[in-house]
Amino acid sequence: MWAPGPSSQSQDEPEEQWDDVIKELAQSPVGQYKKSHPVHRFHIFAKAFSNLDAGALVKNTPTMLHEVHQTRKIGFSGAPTKARSDIYLTLLEPSLPRHGFLSHPKLGSVPLGQDSEMANLQLTLEVRRSSGDRIEGCIYPSGNSLGHTAWRTTAVEREEGWDSTIRLAIDPEDVPGSRVVMSLADG
């Protein structure tokens, strides 16, 4: 992790060439950056929004949803009129830090060791209700495929990516309590 640095480099820090991505994401007025200490845990909190009128939802929460762009309804005869609750999930690439932790169902939090190869990574996805029951046939990896209950990605190396978008077709009453369970395996 990087952060904008002080205006002057200290004597013990050598001058480094910073990647353009870092400069674009974390703008520094002096052009200097500093590396943070290794991160052992990283938590992401997601907020769910539910409203029958998507336009009103965006208008009522403009600071959080200011970059949401709505697709206009297609107005041709025969277009479906039933509301859809499809959710699209894009899987880009695996990112496993050297000092990261994995969650094991029996052992709890397990450190991802230095000697761990984890070279051929495959992800398995399931959608479960709040009760823990799997939702059958709700994962669609392509437009013309049958629904899967548990779907596996192709195996990729650490530097490669899946670059896949899947559709989750979940009944509207199941959406608020549902969760995506991801299992990572080394092939």
Side-chain angles (χ1 to χ4, degrees):
M1 293 183 66
W2 295 271
S7 59
S8 63
Q9 289 273 2
S10 63
Q11 296 295 344
D12 57 344
E13 286 186 49
E15 182 74 25
E16 291 193 42
Q17 296 297 322
W18 299 102
D19 194 304
D20 290 337
V21 174
I22 298 169
K23 292 178 182 178
E24 186 177 330
L25 293 175
Q27 297 176 355
S28 172
V30 295
Q32 299 293 324
Y33 299 88
K34 63 179 179 178
K35 288 184 183 178
S36 299
H37 296 289
V39 177
H40 295 286
R41 288 186 183 221
F42 187 72
H43 295 272
I44 297 175
F45 297 95
K47 180 170 176 66
F49 295 97
S50 179
N51 192 327
L52 295 177
D53 184 5
L57 180 64
V58 172
K59 286 179 185 176
N60 292 339
T61 51
T63 54
M64 296 180 81
L65 301 176
H66 70 280
E67 292 184 9
V68 171
H69 303 285
Q70 295 182 48
T71 306
R72 293 185 181 164
K73 183 178 177 182
I74 301 172
F76 58 88
S77 63
T81 56
K82 180 182 171 193
R84 295 176 57 178
S85 64
D86 297 349
I87 299 168
Y88 291 88
L89 181 65
T90 301
L91 306 169
L92 295 176
E93 64 186 52
S95 176
L96 298 173
R98 278 189 241 156
H99 302 291
F101 287 86
L102 295 176
S103 178
H104 191 275
K106 294 180 182 173
L107 303 175
S109 185
V110 178
L112 183 62
Q114 296 282 20
D115 57 344
S116 174
E117 290 288 325
M118 296 295 282
N120 299 307
L121 301 173
Q122 185 179 36
L123 197 62
T124 303
L125 289 112
E126 297 177 341
V127 180
R128 295 184 179 255
R129 292 183 178 89
S130 58
S131 64
D133 298 333
R134 295 194 311 184
I135 299 177
E136 301 290 327
C138 68
I139 303 171
Y140 293 86
S142 63
N144 59 350
S145 69
L146 296 174
H148 295 260
T149 301
W151 179 73
R152 289 179 178 83
T153 64
T154 56
V156 298
E157 291 185 13
R158 276 186 131 152
E159 298 81 28
E160 296 176 355
W162 293 292
D163 296 324
S164 299
T165 299
I166 59 172
R167 179 173 63 96
L168 305 177
I170 305 169
D171 290 333
E173 61 272 3
D174 287 333
V175 171
S178 296
R179 55 192 47 88
V180 176
V181 177
M182 297 182 197
S183 302
L184 185 66
D186 183 11

